[in-house]
């Protein structure tokens, strides 16, 4: 909920700083680019461009998260005009 509120506050420009979010992977929508939805059990957050901790592209990761896995992600928060 807090991550969504921050994304809405900064809009399409994004936070400009890296923030951690924790959640459970709901589904991977594009394994090439690391697109997925994660949830805290109540809210869902769309993630685009997930990489490994060393910057390895998602499609090249040896150990990719799957639906049901818990993840901690670091990145800027943006809305991409997805909230009204």
């Amino acid at each position: 909920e807090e991550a969504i509120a921050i994304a809405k506050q900064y809009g399409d420009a994004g936070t400009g700083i890296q923030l951690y979010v924790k959640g459970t992977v709901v589904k991977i929508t594009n394994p090439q680019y690391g697109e997925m939805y994660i949830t805290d059990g109540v809210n869902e957050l769309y993630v685009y461009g997930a990489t490994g901790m060393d910057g390895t592209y998602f499609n090249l990761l040896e150990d990719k998260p799957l639906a049901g896995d818990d993840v901690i992600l670091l990145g800027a928060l943006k809305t991409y005009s997805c909230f009204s």
Side-chain angles (χ1 to χ4, degrees), residues 26-49:
V26 175
K27 64 181 171 181
I28 307 290
T29 57
N30 187 329
Q32 177 76 22
Y33 298 109
E35 292 178 42
M36 67 183 80
Y37 286 89
I38 64 172
T39 184
D40 63 0
V42 176
N43 301 289
E44 282 192 2
L45 186 67
Y46 172 72
V47 176
Y48 176 81

Side-chain angles (χ1 to χ4, degrees), residues 17-80:
I17 58 172
Q18 304 285 307
L19 300 167
Y20 286 99
V21 294
K22 179 180 177 182
T24 302
V25 177
V26 175
K27 64 181 171 181
I28 307 290
T29 57
N30 187 329
Q32 177 76 22
Y33 298 109
E35 292 178 42
M36 67 183 80
Y37 286 89
I38 64 172
T39 184
D40 63 0
V42 176
N43 301 289
E44 282 192 2
L45 186 67
Y46 172 72
V47 176
Y48 176 81
T51 64
M53 290 180 6
D54 63 355
T56 301
Y57 291 112
F58 192 86
N59 63 321
L60 300 176
L61 291 173
E62 287 185 32
D63 189 20
K64 296 176 187 69
L66 303 171
D69 289 346
D70 291 329
V71 294
I72 298 174
L73 303 170
L74 175 65
L77 298 173
K78 300 181 178 189
T79 59
Y80 291 110

